[in-house]
Amino acid sequence: MTKSKKKGNFTQLGVLIALLLLCAVISVITGGKFLRVTNLMNVLDQTAFNAMLAIGMLLCLITAGIDLSVGANAVFCSCVGGMLVLRDVSNPILIMAIIIVCGTLVGLINGLLLTRLHLPHPFVSTLGMKNFLWGMALLVTGSTMVSGFPEGVMLLGSKTIGGVKISFILVVILYIIMHVLLTRTALGRSIFCVGGNPEAARLSGIHSANVLTFCYVVSGFCASLAGIITIGRTSICNGADAVNPYDTDAIAACIIGGASFMGGKGTMLGTMLGALIIGTLRNGFTLMAASSAIQNIVLGLVIIVAVFIDVTRERMEAKARRLAAK
């Protein structure tokens, strides 16, 4: 086992222990309500949306980028579905296909803005895209909430298999696929190389622009699936939801799971554990009837601590490299 793999396994173990401790604390505080089977299924249901967004976010973070538009893209995609319903489109396959195309196209545009127009950093372009999609989500639905989606569109976010939501099962399948891609394919190695050592990627003949574009396309695709999931969970679409900090939850899941803003690091397993921590916190707040102010304060502190750990880890590794070079 290589040194980097050992570090990755240690990080994942630490996140798993943190998740288990969090579950224990919340269970004690709520008098065991948290550990009820129905509630645990609720946690998985609540986690599915964020975990789906975190797939694409992780790829972007590995390349030392970021996608701040994922949440707004998901809401925009759900509103595209709402627009079709308002126009009496009732074919669920057609609605979902158009939603997926729209979300993936947004991801492609994000990638092209970075790689073809050479904007300085995806933070700027994806932040602009977030606001653009917020406006578009309101525009396509006339700033109204839309309901009455066909049952086929609702299925992904509402139906269960063995008590587990289909949405979470899909998330697990996609995480396994992306884990294999990142760890067992040349494309996966290229993604890590582009983020961890751009110069080495260039010298190796890796077409960085294509790799980066692929990552943002995947992010857009995952956002479209998250949009379909939220339709099934809530039975409506609402363009006003695009302002919600879904992107920060996805970033937090990745960073808690061991990804780095510096690029070149991150695992699907760690990201899943990070998403479960965020979902567990939100579920615990609901059980404890905590105010939205307390929720925002605690989640904000969690993100700050996660970033601090990331920066500290980077500094320690840089110091170790300097000492080894002497």
Side-chain angles (χ1 to χ4, degrees), residues 46 245 249 277-287 295 299:
Q46 294 167 359
D249 276 8
I277 286 178
I278 298 297
T280 299
L281 277 172
R282 290 199 176 279
N283 180 266
F285 288 141
T286 301
L287 293 177
Q295 293 187 35
L299 287 170

Side-chain angles (χ1 to χ4, degrees), residues 180-253:
V180 173
L181 183 144
L182 289 175
T183 60
R184 297 287 187 270
T185 68
L187 175 58
R189 290 189 291 272
S190 296
I191 292 172
F192 280 103
C193 190
V194 167
N197 196 331
E199 181 61 19
R202 184 185 67 81
L203 294 175
S204 299
I206 296 173
H207 201 304
S208 298
N210 288 347
V211 172
L212 289 170
T213 301
F214 170 79
C215 292
Y216 285 90
V217 167
V218 171
S219 184
F221 171 75
C222 291
S224 69
L225 293 180
I228 297 174
I229 288 173
T230 195
I231 289 174
R233 284 191 63 205
T234 63
S235 303
I236 63 170
C237 68
N238 183 6
D241 287 340
V243 73
N244 289 332
Y246 299 130
D247 49 342
T248 56
D249 276 8
I251 293 169

Side-chain angles (χ1 to χ4, degrees), residues 63-126:
T63 64
I66 199 168
D67 186 356
L68 296 178
S69 69
V70 287
N73 193 5
V75 174
F76 166 69
C77 287
S78 69
C79 288
V80 168
M83 176 191 69
L84 295 173
V85 169
L86 289 175
R87 284 159 177 74
D88 298 322
V89 177
S90 58
N91 187 319
I93 295 178
L94 177 60
I95 293 175
M96 288 189 291
I98 292 176
I99 286 175
I100 291 173
V101 168
C102 288
T104 305
L105 181 60
V106 169
L108 176 61
I109 293 172
N110 280 334
L112 294 179
L113 288 174
L114 175 65
T115 62
R116 297 300 187 267
L117 295 185
H118 304 292
L119 296 186
H121 194 277
F123 180 95
V124 178
S125 56
T126 60

Side-chain angles (χ1 to χ4, degrees), residues 124-321:
V124 178
S125 56
T126 60
L127 180 60
M129 181 61 75
K130 174 179 180 177
N131 284 275
F132 173 79
L133 293 174
W134 180 16
M136 287 298 297
L138 293 171
L139 183 64
V140 298
T141 57
S143 300
T144 61
M145 290 186 290
V146 180
S147 59
F149 287 90
E151 185 65 24
V153 179
M154 303 274 290
L155 183 144
L156 184 59
S158 62
K159 300 299 182 180
T160 63
I161 297 178
V164 180
K165 284 289 182 69
I166 294 176
S167 57
F168 189 78
I169 294 174
L170 175 62
V171 165
V172 171
I173 293 172
L174 288 178
Y175 266 70
I176 293 172
I177 292 172
M178 294 309 299
H179 170 75
V180 173
L181 183 144
L182 289 175
T183 60
R184 297 287 187 270
T185 68
L187 175 58
R189 290 189 291 272
S190 296
I191 292 172
F192 280 103
C193 190
V194 167
N197 196 331
E199 181 61 19
R202 184 185 67 81
L203 294 175
S204 299
I206 296 173
H207 201 304
S208 298
N210 288 347
V211 172
L212 289 170
T213 301
F214 170 79
C215 292
Y216 285 90
V217 167
V218 171
S219 184
F221 171 75
C222 291
S224 69
L225 293 180
I228 297 174
I229 288 173
T230 195
I231 289 174
R233 284 191 63 205
T234 63
S235 303
I236 63 170
C237 68
N238 183 6
D241 287 340
V243 73
N244 289 332
Y246 299 130
D247 49 342
T248 56
D249 276 8
I251 293 169
C254 296
I255 298 300
I256 291 171
S260 172
F261 284 114
M262 308 301 177
K265 294 180 182 177
T267 65
M268 296 310 305
L269 177 57
T271 300
M272 174 61 81
L273 293 172
L276 285 170
I277 286 178
I278 298 297
T280 299
L281 277 172
R282 290 199 176 279
N283 180 266
F285 288 141
T286 301
L287 293 177
M288 292 181 283
S291 68
S292 58
I294 296 299
Q295 293 187 35
N296 289 331
I297 289 172
V298 174
L299 287 170
L301 289 175
V302 168
I303 294 173
I304 291 172
V305 170
V307 173
F308 175 75
I309 292 173
D310 172 41
V311 172
T312 302
R313 185 173 57 218
E314 288 292 333
R315 289 174 179 172
M316 292 176 65
E317 291 179 0
K319 182 178 180 180
R321 287 193 297 268

